[in-house]
Amino acid sequence: MTSEFDHSEPADILLVEDNPGDIRLTKEAFKDQKIANTLHVVENGVDALDFLFQRNDYADAPRPDLVLLDLNLPRKNGDEVLKELHEDPERRRIPVIILTSSDAEIDIIQSYELCARGYLTKPVDPDEFIDTIRELERFWLSVMRLPTDEDFD
């Protein structure tokens, strides 16, 4: 059963991004919001999967409430991360939003076929990028209903 996200508890958000500038802008956007959250950052697909499956250096990582996933990543790309998540019965329920520079139709189609919950093309302008992240956070953590930890047991 899906229940409303508890806004009194910080949301754990996993950002999977290898571009230092985009990481900085995302952190800036989240820092100014009134919604409590904890932003975790990994910079490649292998670390993303380790975080999501709580293994290796990320054995104590929290289960994220939301994943922001770039497609163009080192070691394993975003499609490979999505595919592994989709194949796992427990982790496929974690909402994944693609946040990438690609606006190629094939990437959009592939992402949705692999069960991404949304696809956003990163704006080039830094102010527009920050606005996009703020709107994404507001929508996913204020408006949408997300599963709670109990829903995954």
Side-chain angles (χ1 to χ4, degrees):
M1 176 173 139
T2 302
S3 59
E4 191 167 328
F5 181 75
D6 181 358
H7 299 290
S8 64
E9 294 294 319
D12 283 299
I13 302 162
L14 176 61
L15 173 64
V16 186
E17 173 62 64
D18 65 321
N19 181 312
D22 290 346
I23 293 170
R24 183 183 53 76
L25 288 173
T26 303
K27 285 181 176 180
E28 183 179 323
F30 277 90
K31 184 177 81 171
D32 294 336
Q33 292 298 84
K34 294 178 182 165
I35 301 169
N37 62 67
T38 304
L39 184 65
H40 307 273
V41 179
V42 295
E43 297 182 8
N44 64 68
V46 171
D47 285 347
L49 289 168
D50 283 351
F51 189 102
L52 290 160
F53 284 85
Q54 299 169 311
R55 59 190 182 211
N56 299 323
D57 291 343
Y58 301 98
D60 295 327
R63 179 186 202 97
D65 298 298
L66 181 66
V67 176
L68 304 177
L69 178 65
D70 189 11
L71 290 180
N72 305 309
L73 297 167
R75 300 182 70 196
K76 279 193 183 227
N77 66 36
D79 286 342
E80 292 171 302
V81 172
L82 271 176
K83 186 174 188 302
E84 286 195 41
L85 282 179
H86 179 63
E87 291 172 350
D88 184 86
E90 291 181 27
R91 287 163 184 86
R92 77 175 76 182
R93 292 185 257 176
I94 299 171
V96 178
I97 306 298
I98 303 303
L99 184 62
T100 188
S101 57
S102 173
D103 62 358
E105 190 70 21
I106 188 80
D107 288 337
I108 296 168
I109 292 168
Q110 179 71 18
S111 294
Y112 280 112
E113 285 179 352
L114 292 170
C115 296
R117 300 300 200 282
Y119 191 103
L120 294 171
T121 302
K122 295 177 195 172
V124 176
D125 177 82
D127 291 332
E128 288 179 25
F129 183 92
I130 289 172
D131 288 343
T132 297
I133 296 298
R134 287 179 179 153
E135 284 301 309
L136 178 133
E137 180 184 29
R138 186 192 67 74
F139 178 74
W140 278 97
L141 300 179
S142 292
V143 177
M144 290 300 294
R145 293 170 52 111
L146 297 173
T148 63
D149 285 340
E150 293 80 37
D151 295 324
F152 292 106
D153 293 336

